Amino acid sequence: MCFRGGADVLSLRTALCEQGDGIVFLLKDRYEKPFQTAFNGQSYQLFSRYRAYFKFMQPALRQVYDLLEDEVSRETFTRVLNVRFKLADDAEVFSVFQPDQYFTPPEMNRFTPDSVFVDCGAFVGDTIEKYIWHSQGIFRRIYGFEPGMKQRTALEHRKARLVEEWALDDNQISIVPAGVGEATQDMALVKGVMSDLAIGTKLVPEAEADEASIIDRVHVVSLDEYFRDREPRIDMIKADVEGSELALLQGAQEIIRRDRPNLAISLYHKLTDYFELPLYIKSLVPEYHLRIYHHSTNFTETVVYAYVD
């Protein structure tokens, strides 16, 4: 039995087909040969490594695919994986591009006067502003976690403007100068490396970091610890934290199990995130519905959404 859907050889659905007890990786000659031309020398070796990762991860990727709530999510997951695993170029995701990142599913747009929104990786406050517009200013509090000093400066300016424009109380938006992870600790921000299946940057304990690779030193908090005596309930968590998304979820498992908040979690920094994050979310709250939508014209900005009825 193969994945549901079309017969395009570029599709993950024809690449992930069961044969006997296993799932066999299929890469047709008419598809591989152009890549042999495009990926010469070391670049082709990189392509081969991606292909090996893809083969290894297939059973878990299939499991995630079968958990997805709607056909749009399944089609998006298929096309994003094609691009992310070097099986197709960026044009593969054009047809599944969705605007309105973090708020595309209607279920992400449920607000009450008591709503509490937690933005992890708040950057310059762009998502916080979107949340206020979507909620029409109907919320109790927003927390923005951002470790970068330059980004926080811009975030403070945006906060001041939003408080004035929306006639908010100043304490309705709290800016927290910290990263978010599994536990409260000081960590080093370093460049991601291919051996970790990662892009961009990552957080590691300072004792494990090569001094030459350190970009910055960051204070990291666990959401469970941070909110234990601050908020009785969290309604939505958004996360774009440069590859620390799994650690963030592990450090928020009490909140997630207790409150079952809406989740909007970035799903592209590590290859393993494509199965580890959705499966971990479902392990915490089996009742979660999962959607995956894509918000750029390359492999970045894929988000897994989780919500309960």
Side-chain angles (χ1 to χ4, degrees):
M1 184 177 99
C2 296
F3 275 22
R4 298 183 295 274
D8 183 356
V9 297
L10 302 188
S11 172
L12 179 66
R13 297 173 187 176
T14 58
L16 301 186
C17 296
E18 296 179 7
Q19 187 175 63
D21 295 330
I23 299 178
V24 178
F25 178 68
L26 302 176
L27 190 60
K28 301 297 185 182
D29 286 345
R30 64 172 174 158
Y31 184 37
E32 183 174 11
K33 286 176 181 177
F35 277 96
Q36 289 177 334
T37 301
F39 286 82
N40 293 317
Q42 185 176 354
S43 295
Y44 183 67
Q45 292 176 11
L46 179 63
F47 167 61
S48 299
R49 292 175 69 186
Y50 269 91
R51 188 171 62 175
Y53 295 142
F54 187 40
K55 181 176 180 180
F56 176 75
M57 296 173 189
Q58 283 178 45
L61 295 173
R62 170 64 182 266
Q63 188 177 354
V64 173
Y65 179 96
D66 288 339
L67 288 171
L68 295 176
E69 186 70 15
D70 62 333
E71 184 58 33
V72 173
S73 293
R74 291 187 284 271
E75 180 69 18
T76 299
F77 194 54
T78 296
R79 292 183 178 275
V80 166
L81 290 178
N82 282 338
V83 174
R84 188 68 170 91
F85 284 90
K86 312 296 186 185
L87 302 177
D89 61 28
D90 289 349
E92 180 83 352
V93 298
F94 289 0
S95 66
V96 294
F97 169 83
Q98 296 270 7
D100 208 13
Q101 187 171 2
Y102 306 122
F103 299 96
T104 302
E107 295 80 7
M108 296 296 115
N109 292 270
R110 297 184 289 204
F111 311 100
T112 74
D114 289 325
S115 293
V116 176
F117 171 51
V118 176
D119 186 352
C120 303
F123 190 47
V124 297
D126 49 326
T127 306
I128 288 174
E129 181 157 9
K130 288 176 67 175
Y131 181 88
I132 293 173
W133 276 100
H134 277 267
S135 69
Q136 289 296 292
I138 300 173
F139 66 92
R140 188 168 68 79
R141 195 153 187 185
I142 294 172
Y143 291 85
F145 290 82
E146 176 52 57
M149 184 178 298
K150 186 175 182 180
Q151 292 83 354
R152 283 201 313 276
T153 299
L155 180 52
E156 291 282 4
H157 286 302
R158 191 187 294 253
K159 171 187 170 177
R161 174 174 61 78
L162 291 172
V163 166
E164 181 179 358
E165 289 178 353
W166 287 87
L168 303 174
D169 292 334
D170 188 70
N171 65 2
Q172 282 187 264
I173 303 175
S174 295
I175 299 172
V176 185
V180 183
E182 185 176 3
T184 298
Q185 58 186 309
D186 292 324
M187 303 188 76
L189 184 69
V190 301
K191 292 181 179 179
V193 294
M194 188 57 217
S195 60
D196 298 322
L197 315 185
I199 63 169
T201 58
K202 64 175 182 175
L203 288 169
V204 300
E206 284 201 49
E208 299 176 13
D210 175 7
E211 188 67 28
S213 69
I214 294 177
I215 300 171
D216 198 2
R217 288 173 169 81
V218 176
H219 182 62
V220 173
V221 300
S222 155
L223 292 183
D224 284 337
E225 295 177 27
Y226 185 84
F227 286 112
R228 190 159 289 138
D229 299 319
R230 284 184 171 88
E231 293 291 347
R233 175 178 174 80
I234 303 298
D235 296 278
M236 180 175 177
I237 299 172
K238 165 259 174 177
D240 185 352
V241 289
E242 302 301 323
S244 294
E245 283 79 9
L246 181 59
L248 179 152
L249 293 170
Q250 290 168 334
Q253 57 183 295
E254 292 177 17
I255 289 172
I256 293 171
R257 287 191 174 113
R258 182 193 70 209
D259 299 340
R260 305 196 297 181
N262 285 347
L263 302 177
I265 311 296
S266 290
L267 190 69
Y268 64 91
H269 292 104
K270 298 178 181 177
L271 296 182
T272 50
D273 282 349
Y274 289 104
F275 64 88
E276 285 186 335
L277 299 186
L279 296 181
Y280 185 70
I281 289 169
K282 284 288 283 188
S283 75
L284 294 177
V285 180
E287 296 81 10
Y288 266 137
H289 300 285
L290 298 181
R291 298 177 186 259
I292 291 177
Y293 293 151
H294 189 71
H295 307 286
S296 79
T297 54
N298 55 39
F299 73 83
T300 64
E301 309 307 332
T302 308
V303 177
V304 57
Y305 297 92
Y307 62 92
V308 293
D309 293 327

